[in-house]
Amino acid sequence: MTEHKSPLAVVPEETPGHGLLKGKKVVVTAAAGTGIGFSAARRAALEGADVLVSDFHERRLGEARDALAAEFPEQQFEAITCNVQSTSDVDALITGAADTLGRIDVLINNAGLGGECELVDMSDEDWDRVLDITLNGTFRATRAALRYFRDVPHGGVIVNNASVLGWRAQRAQAHYAAAKAGVMALTRSSAIEGADHGVRINAVAPSLARHKFLEKSASAELLDDLASKEAFGRAADVWEVAATIAMLASDYTTYLTGEVISISSQRA
């Protein structure tokens, strides 16, 4: 019997930019490397934004900024090193971004940490580190951004990176799933408060977006198995996730807040 293969199994060419973020000032955390963060920064640039990228890894962060500046020479690109586990770092990121870019219109909270570990073998340190980077880091950045937006007249947008694991069970992912479920709840609750300051807060929940950083924290066998369970029979390309983030950051979603948008072709 020949296995059916979806016509959507092949990653399409990246959709061209349409100026969705033209003139906007965008900050992206965890934007170094090859993952969703860099792709979100690049997509924001493709849609016309000036972008400040942030990450814990200083060398890779500089490389990310330089790559964006080379591809989009007419736009402004800046970089600030930030460890989202540090309140002082995160506060300095928001203050520095506002000073460097002139203002902030959009914050994309991408910082997160995963890994495979059975719960019975998980140490307190394993649990705490994933929760602190993934959930508490999003909290720290959201808090700092809301304090900034509270004191400016133009409002803004925050887009968080969650995961379908905030809804769905997967072995050896209790810490990551709990953190991402927390990001979802934080998104909903903070959106109610953000509305008072003209701020929309939403999240994306990818099922599986494959990139080099993910392949360092999960086995190829697991990633292949997860991809096979998607209706398309493949993982998302990071640009497909970034395109949805850009949409949520844009004026195409002015009546949308507190929502978590699943980016998934996963069967129910």
Side-chain angles (χ1 to χ4, degrees):
M1 181 177 175
T2 302
E3 182 180 356
H4 173 71
K5 191 171 185 179
S6 169
L8 300 171
V10 177
V11 178
E13 292 187 9
E14 184 173 11
T15 305
H18 289 81
L20 299 187
L21 300 174
K22 187 174 182 180
K24 301 290 188 181
K25 311 292 185 177
V26 176
V27 178
V28 186
T29 67
T34 61
I36 293 171
F38 177 76
S39 188
R42 182 181 176 276
R43 187 75 211 188
L46 191 63
E47 297 294 350
D50 294 327
V51 182
L52 186 143
V53 290
S54 176
D55 205 287
F56 179 69
H57 303 280
E58 187 172 2
R59 177 185 58 80
R60 293 193 318 193
L61 179 62
E63 292 172 351
R65 177 201 55 210
D66 292 347
L68 291 168
E71 185 174 1
F72 305 96
E74 302 301 317
Q75 291 157 239
Q76 180 183 6
F77 297 96
E78 306 291 346
I80 295 178
T81 306
C82 176
N83 177 1
V84 297
Q85 292 182 277
S86 164
T87 293
S88 60
D89 268 22
V90 172
D91 290 348
L93 168 64
I94 297 302
T95 300
D99 289 343
T100 303
L101 294 175
R103 68 176 191 277
I104 301 171
D105 297 305
V106 178
L107 169 66
I108 298 172
N109 278 319
N110 176 67
L113 179 69
E116 293 181 81
C117 186
E118 295 276 340
L119 191 63
V120 294
D121 299 320
M122 192 177 294
S123 67
D124 285 1
E125 290 74 19
D126 292 332
W127 176 271
D128 289 343
R129 186 157 190 260
V130 169
L131 267 290
D132 195 35
I133 292 173
T134 307
L135 176 56
N136 295 348
T138 303
F139 151 69
R140 293 182 187 104
T142 299
R143 177 180 60 188
L146 282 177
R147 287 172 175 170
Y148 165 78
F149 287 130
R150 177 185 59 190
D151 297 328
V152 297
H154 55 73
V157 178
I158 299 173
V159 183
N160 298 324
N161 190 5
S163 168
V164 294
L165 292 189
W167 293 311
R168 298 169 179 163
Q170 185 175 309
R171 180 179 292 274
Q173 293 293 324
H175 48 358
Y176 185 70
K180 290 300 190 180
V183 169
M184 292 177 175
L186 173 64
T187 298
R188 289 188 288 266
S189 295
S190 61
I192 300 302
E193 299 177 25
D196 295 340
H197 310 299
V199 181
R200 295 185 292 107
I201 306 176
N202 294 293
V204 296
S207 57
L208 179 63
R210 200 159 181 171
H211 51 84
K212 290 181 181 178
F213 182 77
L214 179 63
E215 291 170 354
K216 291 181 179 179
S217 61
S219 67
E221 292 78 13
L222 173 63
L223 296 176
D224 288 344
D225 179 62
L226 293 174
S228 72
K229 294 175 181 177
E230 296 283 330
F232 295 172
R234 66 170 176 89
D237 191 283
V238 287
W239 79 258
E240 293 176 294
V241 178
T244 303
I245 291 173
M247 179 191 72
L248 290 175
S250 78
D251 292 340
Y252 277 79
T253 53
T254 53
Y255 196 72
L256 188 68
T257 199
E259 296 294 340
V260 180
I261 307 300
S262 176
I263 306 176
S264 173
S265 74
Q266 197 166 116
R267 298 180 177 90

